[in-house]
Amino acid sequence: MRVLKFGGTSVANADNIKLTLAIISQKAEKEPLAVVVSALSKVTDLLQLAASKAAQNDESFRDIVLEIEKKHLDTLKQLIPVSEQSALLSHIKRIINHLETLLDGCYLLGELSPRTSDTILSFGELLSSFIIAEALKQNLKSTSYKDSRELIKTNATYGKASVNFELSNALIQNYFKNNDTRVVLLPGFIAATEDGITTTLGRGGSDYTAAIFAGALAVDELEIWTDVNGMYTANPKIVKEAQPIATISYQEAMELSHFGAKVLYPPTIQPVLKKNIPIWIKNTFEPQAEGTLISNTVVATGTPVKGISHIDNITLITLEGSGMIGVAGSSKRLFEVLSNEKINVIFITQASSEHSICIGIQNSDAETAEIAINKAFEIEIAQHKVEPCIVEKNLCIIALVGENMKNHQGLSGRMFSTLGKNNVNIRAIAQGASERNISVVINERDVKKALNTLHENFFEENTKQLNLFVMGVGNVGEKFIEQIHQQKKFLKENLKINLRIIAVSNSRNMHFDEEGMSLKDWPSLIVNGEVSNPKAFVNRVKELNLRNSIFVDITANESVSKLYEQFLRQNVAVVTCNKIACSSAYANYQHLKKLSRKYNAPFLFETNVGAGLPIIDTVKNLIASGDKVHKIQAVLSGSLNFIFNNFNENNPFDEVVKEAGIQGFTEPDPKIDLSGIDVARKILILIRESGYQMEIEDIENLSFLPDECMKTNNNDDFFKSLLKNASHFEQLLKEANEKESRLKFVAQFENGKANVGLQCIAKDHPFYNLEGKDNIVLFYTDRYVDQPLLIKGAGAGAAVTASGIFADVIRIGNV
């Protein structure tokens, strides 16, 4: 014999019930069945709401009753032939009339007792089981209906009654011994006292009902049919990568179900555990799916962790004080107070110093608990031996569960490290001696991030998901997204990095997609996006609170650079080609660096100097290894190098500058490049990364531009001024040619002083043959004295800059 239980979603409507009936009919061909069903989906909630409104003298409860009646009548009409409906519809209406009478009583009295509440809530299962039994009889004549209240007997603790197993088992066994039908249809959730008063077994109690029957009848297997393919490694609604668990032990299942795995009601395990009856969790909508087998067998898997679960709406209450140290009975008094108030303690931890006890309870019990505890310890509080209890609400418990966890070292450290790297603060920790469960309390807003981060670490073959928020999608931004699209598959397969672009923004519009944007049509998404707003952008990133979040700044905008602090404080990494932040006041540069370390949020800006060249990373490695930089000589502007390499008698200066802009080598405002400020910022960043303190004002800028060019306010006027002063630039070229030299815009640092300016470079200098848009940097250090360390390569262009940004993103993924 076998017991089957079908939950609310499996019997939500006539279509779902037809699927349920097909499963029952198929199973009944092989062996006798006891089938337990829940109320139709959401009906128990409607009953509870109607009862509450009636007790509050709110006549809208009658509308709810009509909704419940319609839902059941419609379902019956779709399942039963018209010729047989009349008597059944009358029966449903009689039950509804009885329900309305009870609610009228609540309305007139203005109260709702626990006993009355149980009776009202029982109507959901009574209605659904009657309809399903009648529908099953249409194709399977050997079907009988039995009211579970006649077989399961409990005490009078309404809301969550305790079962009298000795009496209930005897009644169940006697009934089934004398029953000869193939299928017995039973309502779940409900029971009765020995006097016949209706009780309930707690929300989710239909699972428990099925387990009670399974245990009493010692069946071969218990099947729980629901709307998912078994128990999952995490809540699939929160963790998209969650996987079904094929096999799991009773103990593991109990831990997971206690910690919020909604597939199974926690007490379900107990009646079948003693008799070693396996439980199958199956999907009504995919009956061929394997599901999850819960048994006494522990099956080793690739990871010692079987699942990650959580409980929402938790409050931590801490009782502490020197008056508790060495005083026997303090814990007893605390838990006795809570017991008297019927408050369930979900989480417990105590410092070995005995200075404090910390407990976790439901948010709804927090106020009652605080008042009761402070009253119980009021003498000690008055004597300042104990502090008034500390109450912290809106928390959540995260639990790692696994039978084999006790055989693996370092799991708790791995858990804490994983959460710490994503700035998830742990408020309390608990681990039992069995080591089957490691529980931590965190802020409720971090739940999604924590679950996904832990699942990624323990179940996803070390694949790391990076969530990118990109601001600035011009030439460089476009190339950056194109490169991600091209390399996405390679990164996932070879580097175990899963890149997702969650948001893009330009100066006009922005678009967010929590599941990751389609990189094929991102331009149309941003065109049709919402109006761009930097403050709203930051707030959305905070609200999403995704793991491994990276803000990518591909602008040259000062206001955008001022957002970095907000991101770093939220543990959001910053990758930028925008030089403004790192060349701003030294105090701000240092502040951002400190925030990066404090909040474990990488702050990378390799493309600030040399586009895609590994210049800053090289400096960092030199300094980290104990070397000291004494002198820097560099050509750091790919745009200026391109301009002076192409400027000759046949190519006027203003035309070459325009061409540089067309090819994407200059900033949108070319005066930034030609004025030398861009190069000054770059050398300043290198000086700071080399360990020196300097401000931008300390760098001497030997500008080659006439004052008239510098005083222009827009690009058109700037280019006109370049043309007007053509003779000035021609004279610079003539002087260089006469010296058999080439013009290069050079940045220098030595003996604590720095300058940038146009120089005539002789043929024997390393800078002379620097072609195209290339950059070159010479580092003179303790180790590189006679021959400098030389870095050379393309230093401008959308593609190389994008690749430098991309490299920084990958660097974060490899941390």
Side-chain angles (χ1 to χ4, degrees), residues 72-331:
H72 288 89
L73 292 178
D74 288 348
T75 301
L76 188 143
K77 289 174 183 177
Q78 293 177 60
L79 293 171
I80 306 296
V82 176
S83 59
E84 300 180 29
Q85 287 180 9
S86 181
L88 302 179
L89 292 173
S90 297
H91 182 78
I92 294 292
K93 289 182 177 181
R94 282 196 296 274
I95 296 176
I96 295 294
N97 288 339
H98 184 194
L99 168 64
E100 193 161 18
T101 299
L102 288 170
L103 291 170
D104 278 332
C106 294
Y107 177 81
L108 292 170
L109 293 171
E111 67 174 21
L112 176 66
S113 69
R115 173 174 166 174
T116 303
S117 177
D118 269 12
T119 303
I120 290 171
L121 294 182
S122 72
F123 280 82
E125 273 70 16
L126 290 174
L127 287 163
S128 67
S129 58
F130 170 75
I131 292 171
I132 294 167
E134 293 300 322
L136 186 59
K137 289 175 184 177
Q138 299 301 313
N139 295 317
L140 189 63
K141 299 301 181 184
S142 185
T143 298
S144 58
Y145 173 81
K146 185 66 175 176
D147 189 337
S148 299
R149 294 177 296 182
E150 298 175 21
L151 303 177
I152 300 177
K153 297 300 177 180
T154 70
N155 64 6
T157 304
Y158 301 104
K160 196 173 183 180
S162 296
V163 176
N164 180 337
F165 279 99
E166 184 177 353
L167 177 57
S168 298
N169 288 346
L171 290 170
I172 292 168
Q173 290 162 6
N174 183 60
Y175 172 77
F176 278 88
K177 180 180 179 181
N178 297 309
N179 178 73
D180 58 359
T181 57
R182 199 68 177 166
V183 176
V184 178
L185 206 295
L186 304 129
F189 178 58
I190 62 175
T193 64
E194 290 183 46
D195 297 333
I197 306 301
T198 298
T199 57
T200 61
L201 302 176
R203 293 299 297 263
S206 292
D207 287 352
Y208 193 26
T209 302
I212 293 167
F213 281 109
L217 299 170
V219 298
D220 298 326
E221 289 181 340
L222 167 61
E223 295 181 4
I224 307 291
W225 289 82
T226 181
D227 58 355
V228 291
N229 292 333
M231 299 189 81
Y232 277 70
T233 49
N235 185 338
K237 293 179 181 178
I238 298 175
V239 181
K240 301 300 181 184
E241 304 300 322
Q243 310 147 15
I245 303 171
T247 59
I248 190 170
S249 71
Y250 290 122
Q251 289 76 18
E252 290 169 329
M254 278 193 286
E255 292 280 4
L256 283 175
S257 59
H258 173 71
F259 278 90
K262 307 299 184 187
V263 174
L264 192 67
Y265 181 56
T268 300
I269 308 290
Q270 292 298 340
V272 296
L273 177 60
K274 295 177 183 177
K275 299 188 178 180
N276 198 22
I277 298 170
I279 304 174
W280 278 99
I281 308 295
K282 302 282 283 181
N283 189 346
T284 304
F285 309 100
E286 292 184 44
Q288 303 308 315
E290 185 178 354
T292 297
L293 175 63
I294 305 171
S295 68
N296 223 10
T297 304
V298 180
V299 179
T301 57
T303 172
V305 178
K306 228 24 173 320
I308 306 167
S309 201
H310 73 290
I311 305 177
D312 291 321
N313 304 315
I314 294 296
T315 292
L316 271 187
I317 293 187
T318 304
L319 187 67
E320 63 181 19
S322 58
M324 295 171 60
I325 300 173
V327 178
S330 295
S331 299

Side-chain angles (χ1 to χ4, degrees), residues 360-380:
I361 60 175
Q362 289 289 339
N363 281 343
S364 55
D365 293 326
E367 186 176 348
T368 303
E370 181 181 11
I371 294 169
I373 293 170
N374 286 339
K375 184 175 181 181
F377 288 86
E378 61 184 344
I379 295 175
E380 289 89 340

Side-chain angles (χ1 to χ4, degrees), residues 742-754:
R742 299 181 74 177
L743 292 171
K744 301 291 178 185
F745 197 87
V746 178
Q748 295 186 129
F749 168 74
E750 188 175 11
N751 297 325
K753 295 183 178 181

